[in-house]
Amino acid sequence: MKHYFLLFIIFFIFLFSSCITNKDVVYLQEKGTLANDSLQIEALSKPYRVQVNDILSINVKALDEELVSIFNPVETTATSGGQQGQSSLYFNGFTVDLHGNIKFPILGEINVLGYTIKEIE
């Protein structure tokens, strides 16, 4: 009898612990206000602005490759965007320092903090 009672208690605990409340189910919630939804859409539509510790990949191109070889010290190979591409970006990219600058050959320090990609181009 004790074994059945113990199994019943374990089954009962398992049954109620696997349920979630209606509050956690998204499709049962009321929709947000129109103002709240529009603020979320507006935040998503803003262009990305460069921040501290971002790594920028900068490639300078010209008809004569020797002229721009100092700006592109390591020849980049076409990668599939996997781990190899990310690791090469870490070593060959330009990191934004705490002051928002990158150190670019010949040109020196360039402030890029808070600019969008189009503004930096």
PDB file of all heavy atoms in Angstrom, residues 40-63:
ATOM      1  N   GLN A  40       8.936  49.582 -30.547  1.00  0.00           N
ATOM      2  CA  GLN A  40       9.777  48.426 -30.839  1.00  0.00           C
ATOM      3  C   GLN A  40      10.182  48.410 -32.309  1.00  0.00           C
ATOM      4  O   GLN A  40      11.326  48.117 -32.640  1.00  0.00           O
ATOM      5  CB  GLN A  40       9.055  47.137 -30.479  1.00  0.00           C
ATOM      6  CG  GLN A  40       8.908  46.925 -28.995  1.00  0.00           C
ATOM      7  CD  GLN A  40       8.131  45.666 -28.676  1.00  0.00           C
ATOM      8  OE1 GLN A  40       7.557  45.041 -29.557  1.00  0.00           O
ATOM      9  NE2 GLN A  40       8.109  45.299 -27.409  1.00  0.00           N
ATOM     10  N   ILE A  41       9.261  48.727 -33.193  1.00  0.00           N
ATOM     11  CA  ILE A  41       9.575  48.759 -34.620  1.00  0.00           C
ATOM     12  C   ILE A  41      10.574  49.858 -34.914  1.00  0.00           C
ATOM     13  O   ILE A  41      11.511  49.683 -35.689  1.00  0.00           O
ATOM     14  CB  ILE A  41       8.284  48.947 -35.443  1.00  0.00           C
ATOM     15  CG1 ILE A  41       7.426  47.689 -35.341  1.00  0.00           C
ATOM     16  CG2 ILE A  41       8.603  49.265 -36.898  1.00  0.00           C
ATOM     17  CD1 ILE A  41       6.048  47.827 -35.921  1.00  0.00           C
ATOM     18  N   GLU A  42      10.416  51.004 -34.278  1.00  0.00           N
ATOM     19  CA  GLU A  42      11.334  52.117 -34.482  1.00  0.00           C
ATOM     20  C   GLU A  42      12.742  51.759 -33.999  1.00  0.00           C
ATOM     21  O   GLU A  42      13.734  52.082 -34.645  1.00  0.00           O
ATOM     22  CB  GLU A  42      10.831  53.349 -33.746  1.00  0.00           C
ATOM     23  CG  GLU A  42      11.697  54.580 -33.933  1.00  0.00           C
ATOM     24  CD  GLU A  42      11.154  55.777 -33.174  1.00  0.00           C
ATOM     25  OE1 GLU A  42       9.935  55.874 -33.007  1.00  0.00           O
ATOM     26  OE2 GLU A  42      11.971  56.602 -32.743  1.00  0.00           O
ATOM     27  N   ALA A  43      12.839  51.062 -32.880  1.00  0.00           N
ATOM     28  CA  ALA A  43      14.148  50.666 -32.352  1.00  0.00           C
ATOM     29  C   ALA A  43      14.833  49.673 -33.283  1.00  0.00           C
ATOM     30  O   ALA A  43      16.052  49.702 -33.437  1.00  0.00           O
ATOM     31  CB  ALA A  43      14.001  50.079 -30.959  1.00  0.00           C
ATOM     32  N   LEU A  44      14.065  48.790 -33.900  1.00  0.00           N
ATOM     33  CA  LEU A  44      14.645  47.807 -34.803  1.00  0.00           C
ATOM     34  C   LEU A  44      15.068  48.422 -36.139  1.00  0.00           C
ATOM     35  O   LEU A  44      15.951  47.902 -36.803  1.00  0.00           O
ATOM     36  CB  LEU A  44      13.652  46.666 -35.053  1.00  0.00           C
ATOM     37  CG  LEU A  44      13.393  45.752 -33.865  1.00  0.00           C
ATOM     38  CD1 LEU A  44      12.285  44.758 -34.201  1.00  0.00           C
ATOM     39  CD2 LEU A  44      14.658  45.017 -33.476  1.00  0.00           C
ATOM     40  N   SER A  45      14.432  49.506 -36.539  1.00  0.00           N
ATOM     41  CA  SER A  45      14.732  50.094 -37.834  1.00  0.00           C
ATOM     42  C   SER A  45      15.912  51.060 -37.790  1.00  0.00           C
ATOM     43  O   SER A  45      16.376  51.501 -38.828  1.00  0.00           O
ATOM     44  CB  SER A  45      13.495  50.815 -38.375  1.00  0.00           C
ATOM     45  OG  SER A  45      13.181  51.928 -37.557  1.00  0.00           O
ATOM     46  N   LYS A  46      16.413  51.399 -36.606  1.00  0.00           N
ATOM     47  CA  LYS A  46      17.554  52.301 -36.511  1.00  0.00           C
ATOM     48  C   LYS A  46      18.810  51.599 -37.009  1.00  0.00           C
ATOM     49  O   LYS A  46      19.018  50.432 -36.712  1.00  0.00           O
ATOM     50  CB  LYS A  46      17.766  52.752 -35.060  1.00  0.00           C
ATOM     51  CG  LYS A  46      16.723  53.702 -34.561  1.00  0.00           C
ATOM     52  CD  LYS A  46      17.046  54.138 -33.147  1.00  0.00           C
ATOM     53  CE  LYS A  46      15.978  55.084 -32.634  1.00  0.00           C
ATOM     54  NZ  LYS A  46      16.228  55.474 -31.250  1.00  0.00           N
ATOM     55  N   PRO A  47      19.664  52.300 -37.735  1.00  0.00           N
ATOM     56  CA  PRO A  47      20.911  51.669 -38.197  1.00  0.00           C
ATOM     57  C   PRO A  47      21.874  51.450 -37.032  1.00  0.00           C
ATOM     58  O   PRO A  47      21.841  52.178 -36.038  1.00  0.00           O
ATOM     59  CB  PRO A  47      21.480  52.683 -39.194  1.00  0.00           C
ATOM     60  CG  PRO A  47      20.872  53.985 -38.803  1.00  0.00           C
ATOM     61  CD  PRO A  47      19.525  53.669 -38.214  1.00  0.00           C
ATOM     62  N   TYR A  48      22.729  50.460 -37.171  1.00  0.00           N
ATOM     63  CA  TYR A  48      23.683  50.128 -36.118  1.00  0.00           C
ATOM     64  C   TYR A  48      24.751  51.205 -36.036  1.00  0.00           C
ATOM     65  O   TYR A  48      25.266  51.672 -37.040  1.00  0.00           O
ATOM     66  CB  TYR A  48      24.335  48.771 -36.397  1.00  0.00           C
ATOM     67  CG  TYR A  48      25.321  48.383 -35.334  1.00  0.00           C
ATOM     68  CD1 TYR A  48      24.890  47.911 -34.109  1.00  0.00           C
ATOM     69  CD2 TYR A  48      26.686  48.523 -35.537  1.00  0.00           C
ATOM     70  CE1 TYR A  48      25.787  47.564 -33.121  1.00  0.00           C
ATOM     71  CE2 TYR A  48      27.598  48.181 -34.559  1.00  0.00           C
ATOM     72  CZ  TYR A  48      27.136  47.702 -33.356  1.00  0.00           C
ATOM     73  OH  TYR A  48      28.031  47.373 -32.374  1.00  0.00           O
ATOM     74  N   ARG A  49      25.089  51.595 -34.823  1.00  0.00           N
ATOM     75  CA  ARG A  49      26.157  52.566 -34.589  1.00  0.00           C
ATOM     76  C   ARG A  49      27.323  51.852 -33.918  1.00  0.00           C
ATOM     77  O   ARG A  49      27.139  51.023 -33.035  1.00  0.00           O
ATOM     78  CB  ARG A  49      25.653  53.717 -33.733  1.00  0.00           C
ATOM     79  CG  ARG A  49      24.535  54.487 -34.433  1.00  0.00           C
ATOM     80  CD  ARG A  49      24.386  55.885 -33.878  1.00  0.00           C
ATOM     81  NE  ARG A  49      23.419  56.626 -34.654  1.00  0.00           N
ATOM     82  CZ  ARG A  49      23.736  57.419 -35.677  1.00  0.00           C
ATOM     83  NH1 ARG A  49      24.980  57.557 -36.039  1.00  0.00           N
ATOM     84  NH2 ARG A  49      22.809  58.078 -36.335  1.00  0.00           N
ATOM     85  N   VAL A  50      28.525  52.181 -34.352  1.00  0.00           N
ATOM     86  CA  VAL A  50      29.736  51.527 -33.869  1.00  0.00           C
ATOM     87  C   VAL A  50      29.931  51.845 -32.392  1.00  0.00           C
ATOM     88  O   VAL A  50      29.733  52.976 -31.944  1.00  0.00           O
ATOM     89  CB  VAL A  50      30.954  51.988 -34.689  1.00  0.00           C
ATOM     90  CG1 VAL A  50      32.243  51.440 -34.124  1.00  0.00           C
ATOM     91  CG2 VAL A  50      30.790  51.564 -36.138  1.00  0.00           C
ATOM     92  N   GLN A  51      30.324  50.823 -31.634  1.00  0.00           N
ATOM     93  CA  GLN A  51      30.539  50.940 -30.195  1.00  0.00           C
ATOM     94  C   GLN A  51      31.964  50.522 -29.853  1.00  0.00           C
ATOM     95  O   GLN A  51      32.695  50.012 -30.696  1.00  0.00           O
ATOM     96  CB  GLN A  51      29.553  50.040 -29.449  1.00  0.00           C
ATOM     97  CG  GLN A  51      28.113  50.366 -29.739  1.00  0.00           C
ATOM     98  CD  GLN A  51      27.179  49.336 -29.129  1.00  0.00           C
ATOM     99  OE1 GLN A  51      27.588  48.475 -28.363  1.00  0.00           O
ATOM    100  NE2 GLN A  51      25.908  49.426 -29.459  1.00  0.00           N
ATOM    101  N   VAL A  52      32.342  50.748 -28.595  1.00  0.00           N
ATOM    102  CA  VAL A  52      33.657  50.355 -28.108  1.00  0.00           C
ATOM    103  C   VAL A  52      33.794  48.840 -28.205  1.00  0.00           C
ATOM    104  O   VAL A  52      32.837  48.095 -27.981  1.00  0.00           O
ATOM    105  CB  VAL A  52      33.847  50.830 -26.647  1.00  0.00           C
ATOM    106  CG1 VAL A  52      35.128  50.296 -26.048  1.00  0.00           C
ATOM    107  CG2 VAL A  52      33.812  52.344 -26.579  1.00  0.00           C
ATOM    108  N   ASN A  53      34.977  48.366 -28.561  1.00  0.00           N
ATOM    109  CA  ASN A  53      35.335  46.947 -28.723  1.00  0.00           C
ATOM    110  C   ASN A  53      34.736  46.294 -29.957  1.00  0.00           C
ATOM    111  O   ASN A  53      34.848  45.076 -30.107  1.00  0.00           O
ATOM    112  CB  ASN A  53      34.998  46.119 -27.475  1.00  0.00           C
ATOM    113  CG  ASN A  53      35.885  46.466 -26.312  1.00  0.00           C
ATOM    114  OD1 ASN A  53      37.029  46.858 -26.487  1.00  0.00           O
ATOM    115  ND2 ASN A  53      35.365  46.329 -25.107  1.00  0.00           N
ATOM    116  N   ASP A  54      34.115  47.046 -30.845  1.00  0.00           N
ATOM    117  CA  ASP A  54      33.692  46.491 -32.128  1.00  0.00           C
ATOM    118  C   ASP A  54      34.934  46.256 -32.974  1.00  0.00           C
ATOM    119  O   ASP A  54      35.943  46.946 -32.824  1.00  0.00           O
ATOM    120  CB  ASP A  54      32.751  47.441 -32.866  1.00  0.00           C
ATOM    121  CG  ASP A  54      31.328  47.402 -32.330  1.00  0.00           C
ATOM    122  OD1 ASP A  54      31.045  46.541 -31.488  1.00  0.00           O
ATOM    123  OD2 ASP A  54      30.509  48.225 -32.766  1.00  0.00           O
ATOM    124  N   ILE A  55      34.873  45.291 -33.865  1.00  0.00           N
ATOM    125  CA  ILE A  55      35.985  45.015 -34.766  1.00  0.00           C
ATOM    126  C   ILE A  55      35.514  45.324 -36.178  1.00  0.00           C
ATOM    127  O   ILE A  55      34.545  44.744 -36.654  1.00  0.00           O
ATOM    128  CB  ILE A  55      36.457  43.555 -34.649  1.00  0.00           C
ATOM    129  CG1 ILE A  55      36.911  43.267 -33.222  1.00  0.00           C
ATOM    130  CG2 ILE A  55      37.581  43.280 -35.637  1.00  0.00           C
ATOM    131  CD1 ILE A  55      37.270  41.824 -32.968  1.00  0.00           C
ATOM    132  N   LEU A  56      36.212  46.244 -36.839  1.00  0.00           N
ATOM    133  CA  LEU A  56      35.838  46.668 -38.178  1.00  0.00           C
ATOM    134  C   LEU A  56      36.754  46.023 -39.201  1.00  0.00           C
ATOM    135  O   LEU A  56      37.972  45.986 -39.034  1.00  0.00           O
ATOM    136  CB  LEU A  56      35.936  48.191 -38.299  1.00  0.00           C
ATOM    137  CG  LEU A  56      35.118  49.008 -37.300  1.00  0.00           C
ATOM    138  CD1 LEU A  56      35.354  50.489 -37.528  1.00  0.00           C
ATOM    139  CD2 LEU A  56      33.646  48.688 -37.399  1.00  0.00           C
ATOM    140  N   SER A  57      36.167  45.526 -40.271  1.00  0.00           N
ATOM    141  CA  SER A  57      36.931  44.993 -41.386  1.00  0.00           C
ATOM    142  C   SER A  57      36.965  46.069 -42.464  1.00  0.00           C
ATOM    143  O   SER A  57      35.933  46.450 -43.004  1.00  0.00           O
ATOM    144  CB  SER A  57      36.269  43.728 -41.922  1.00  0.00           C
ATOM    145  OG  SER A  57      36.905  43.298 -43.099  1.00  0.00           O
ATOM    146  N   ILE A  58      38.163  46.561 -42.760  1.00  0.00           N
ATOM    147  CA  ILE A  58      38.317  47.642 -43.729  1.00  0.00           C
ATOM    148  C   ILE A  58      39.206  47.146 -44.857  1.00  0.00           C
ATOM    149  O   ILE A  58      40.328  46.702 -44.626  1.00  0.00           O
ATOM    150  CB  ILE A  58      38.935  48.892 -43.076  1.00  0.00           C
ATOM    151  CG1 ILE A  58      38.034  49.367 -41.929  1.00  0.00           C
ATOM    152  CG2 ILE A  58      39.134  49.990 -44.106  1.00  0.00           C
ATOM    153  CD1 ILE A  58      38.618  50.500 -41.125  1.00  0.00           C
ATOM    154  N   ASN A  59      38.697  47.200 -46.086  1.00  0.00           N
ATOM    155  CA  ASN A  59      39.452  46.806 -47.267  1.00  0.00           C
ATOM    156  C   ASN A  59      39.548  48.000 -48.200  1.00  0.00           C
ATOM    157  O   ASN A  59      38.531  48.585 -48.583  1.00  0.00           O
ATOM    158  CB  ASN A  59      38.778  45.645 -47.996  1.00  0.00           C
ATOM    159  CG  ASN A  59      38.806  44.383 -47.182  1.00  0.00           C
ATOM    160  OD1 ASN A  59      39.795  44.079 -46.538  1.00  0.00           O
ATOM    161  ND2 ASN A  59      37.707  43.645 -47.195  1.00  0.00           N
ATOM    162  N   VAL A  60      40.763  48.363 -48.565  1.00  0.00           N
ATOM    163  CA  VAL A  60      41.004  49.445 -49.507  1.00  0.00           C
ATOM    164  C   VAL A  60      41.323  48.812 -50.847  1.00  0.00           C
ATOM    165  O   VAL A  60      42.171  47.917 -50.938  1.00  0.00           O
ATOM    166  CB  VAL A  60      42.170  50.341 -49.028  1.00  0.00           C
ATOM    167  CG1 VAL A  60      42.415  51.455 -50.009  1.00  0.00           C
ATOM    168  CG2 VAL A  60      41.868  50.887 -47.649  1.00  0.00           C
ATOM    169  N   LYS A  61      40.651  49.272 -51.896  1.00  0.00           N
ATOM    170  CA  LYS A  61      40.827  48.677 -53.219  1.00  0.00           C
ATOM    171  C   LYS A  61      41.299  49.723 -54.212  1.00  0.00           C
ATOM    172  O   LYS A  61      40.888  50.878 -54.150  1.00  0.00           O
ATOM    173  CB  LYS A  61      39.525  48.046 -53.697  1.00  0.00           C
ATOM    174  CG  LYS A  61      39.065  46.936 -52.797  1.00  0.00           C
ATOM    175  CD  LYS A  61      37.895  46.206 -53.350  1.00  0.00           C
ATOM    176  CE  LYS A  61      37.521  45.162 -52.322  1.00  0.00           C
ATOM    177  NZ  LYS A  61      36.807  44.079 -52.815  1.00  0.00           N
ATOM    178  N   ALA A  62      42.156  49.297 -55.123  1.00  0.00           N
ATOM    179  CA  ALA A  62      42.638  50.155 -56.199  1.00  0.00           C
ATOM    180  C   ALA A  62      43.038  49.269 -57.364  1.00  0.00           C
ATOM    181  O   ALA A  62      43.168  48.048 -57.224  1.00  0.00           O
ATOM    182  CB  ALA A  62      43.815  50.993 -55.722  1.00  0.00           C
ATOM    183  N   LEU A  63      43.241  49.884 -58.527  1.00  0.00           N
ATOM    184  CA  LEU A  63      43.659  49.116 -59.692  1.00  0.00           C
ATOM    185  C   LEU A  63      45.062  48.548 -59.492  1.00  0.00           C
ATOM    186  O   LEU A  63      45.341  47.428 -59.889  1.00  0.00           O
ATOM    187  CB  LEU A  63      43.617  49.994 -60.947  1.00  0.00           C
ATOM    188  CG  LEU A  63      42.215  50.429 -61.394  1.00  0.00           C
ATOM    189  CD1 LEU A  63      42.309  51.370 -62.569  1.00  0.00           C
ATOM    190  CD2 LEU A  63      41.374  49.222 -61.740  1.00  0.00           C
TER     191      LEU A  63
END
